[in-house]
């Protein structure tokens, strides 16, 4: 059994598990009114270590996924490697860092959106249509949040973006492993 086959799944699930644990243990988090990063605020959150550790570990695993499979097209690997790096930076530069945190967060979400855009340009059929739907859903969620504060917190647009890219990230990186 080759453990490398499971790294794409572990890389995706690790930050989500830590986020869910942080939400469960926080006692105050509200998905409508908060950003996920509120869980990682070093001076205001009782679960900051848990949340930020999950982002850094998840970022490292995403970066590792991009490095280990030479059968995946280099552009996908570069985008996902950078997404992993920027996700780790979101955990390192938590909300205490203010503008820096905002910038690295935006970089992460733009990077995963660029993955979807590239994927949609390289596929057809249901894969292309699904990726295009993910792009529309992500952009619409962020546009509503930034223009009319609906929802007031960023957690929902963040989760929409993450779950929009997930099936296509897994498709690319598990198909790469199947070709070995």
């Amino acid at each position: 059994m080759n453990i490398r086959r499971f790294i794409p799944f572990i890389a995706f699930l690790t930050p989500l598990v830590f986020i869910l644990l942080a939400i469960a243990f926080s006692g105050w988090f509200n998905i409508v009114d908060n950003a996920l990063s509120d869980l990682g605020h070093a001076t205001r959150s009782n679960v900051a270590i848990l949340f930020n550790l999950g982002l850094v570990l998840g970022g490292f695993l995403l970066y590792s996924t991009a490095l280990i499979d030479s059968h995946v097209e280099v552009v996908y690997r570069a985008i996902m490697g950078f997404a992993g790096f920027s996700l780790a930076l979101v955990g390192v530069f938590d909300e205490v860092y203010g503008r820096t945190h905002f910038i690295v967060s935006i970089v992460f979400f733009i990077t995963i959106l660029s993955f979807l855009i590239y994927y949609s340009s390289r596929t057809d059929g249901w894969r292309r249509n699904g990726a295009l739907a993910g792009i529309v859903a992500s952009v619409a969620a962020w546009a509503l949040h930034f223009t009319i504060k609906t929802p007031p917190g960023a957690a929902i647009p963040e989760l929409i973006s993450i779950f929009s890219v997930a099936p296509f990230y897994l498709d690319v990186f598990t198909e790469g492993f199947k070709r070995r």
Side-chain angles (χ1 to χ4, degrees), residues 28-84:
W28 52 266
F29 182 82
N30 180 311
I31 197 164
V32 173
D33 295 326
N34 292 108
L36 293 176
S37 290
D38 293 344
L39 294 161
H41 194 291
T43 62
R44 294 186 194 147
S45 174
N46 59 321
V47 292
I49 292 173
L50 183 64
F51 178 83
N52 293 328
L53 176 62
L55 296 188
V56 171
L57 285 174
F60 172 76
L61 290 168
L62 281 174
Y63 184 80
S64 298
T65 299
L67 290 179
I68 62 174
D69 190 5
S70 61
H71 290 83
V72 170
E73 188 179 323
V74 70
V75 175
Y76 287 122
R77 293 170 56 210
I79 294 170
M80 206 41 63
F82 190 71

Side-chain angles (χ1 to χ4, degrees), residues 7-157:
I7 291 176
F9 296 99
I10 294 167
F12 176 72
L13 291 175
T14 297
L16 291 178
V17 167
F18 278 80
I19 290 167
L20 287 173
L21 288 171
I23 289 169
F25 293 131
S26 73
W28 52 266
F29 182 82
N30 180 311
I31 197 164
V32 173
D33 295 326
N34 292 108
L36 293 176
S37 290
D38 293 344
L39 294 161
H41 194 291
T43 62
R44 294 186 194 147
S45 174
N46 59 321
V47 292
I49 292 173
L50 183 64
F51 178 83
N52 293 328
L53 176 62
L55 296 188
V56 171
L57 285 174
F60 172 76
L61 290 168
L62 281 174
Y63 184 80
S64 298
T65 299
L67 290 179
I68 62 174
D69 190 5
S70 61
H71 290 83
V72 170
E73 188 179 323
V74 70
V75 175
Y76 287 122
R77 293 170 56 210
I79 294 170
M80 206 41 63
F82 190 71
F85 177 70
S86 61
L87 178 61
L89 289 179
V90 174
V92 170
F93 298 110
D94 68 56
E95 284 189 334
V96 169
Y97 290 88
R99 186 175 180 90
T100 301
H101 172 77
F102 180 76
I103 290 168
V104 296
S105 297
I106 293 296
V107 167
F108 171 72
F109 286 107
I110 288 172
T111 303
I112 63 173
L113 179 64
S114 70
F115 182 91
L116 272 180
I117 292 167
Y118 185 72
Y119 181 92
S120 71
S121 75
R122 306 287 292 168
T123 58
D124 57 15
W126 70 267
R127 285 179 168 96
R128 178 184 174 101
N129 293 337
L132 291 172
I135 293 166
V136 169
S138 296
V139 170
W142 284 110
L144 288 170
H145 172 69
F146 282 122
T147 59
I148 59 172
K149 295 293 183 199
T150 301
I156 292 173

